[in-house]
Amino acid sequence: MPVVIVPPPLQGPTAGVGRVEVAAETVRGTLERMEGDYPGFGELVLEANGELSSFVKIFRNGEQVDPGSLDQEVAAADELEVVTAIAGG
């Protein structure tokens, strides 16, 4: 199963779990499944229209996924890393 790597700032819904195996066939399906399994995760990474938040980047096996290509397939051995911008002041 693909693995989603969740950074500490987004681990609230996962109760501190940083690596989650997800049964899904696409990048979008993986994110939607994360929301189903960990309510609240989706609103941290997706806009209301289902598109990737402008503050989030997804990397598949170390290569950035184009935000317009969330329907690309994922393989069982894939790792999807969620990276979020952190604002400070």
Side-chain angles (χ1 to χ4, degrees):
M1 272 190 263
V3 171
V4 176
I5 301 169
V6 183
L10 301 181
Q11 290 178 7
T14 66
V17 175
R19 292 178 63 86
V20 179
E21 288 188 349
V22 180
E25 296 179 4
T26 65
V27 173
R28 183 184 309 281
T30 301
L31 298 175
E32 290 171 350
R33 185 61 175 258
M34 285 290 292
E35 170 61 25
D37 293 346
Y38 302 97
F41 182 82
E43 66 188 45
L44 297 174
V45 299
L46 297 172
E47 300 289 346
N49 64 3
E51 296 302 316
L52 194 62
S53 167
S54 59
F55 298 107
V56 173
K57 296 191 184 318
I58 304 293
F59 290 83
R60 177 179 171 215
N61 303 324
E63 293 187 27
Q64 186 174 348
V65 174
D66 182 279
S69 300
L70 297 182
D71 292 321
Q72 66 179 268
E73 292 184 5
V74 293
D78 284 347
E79 287 190 346
L80 295 177
E81 183 174 5
V82 180
V83 177
T84 182
I86 299 176

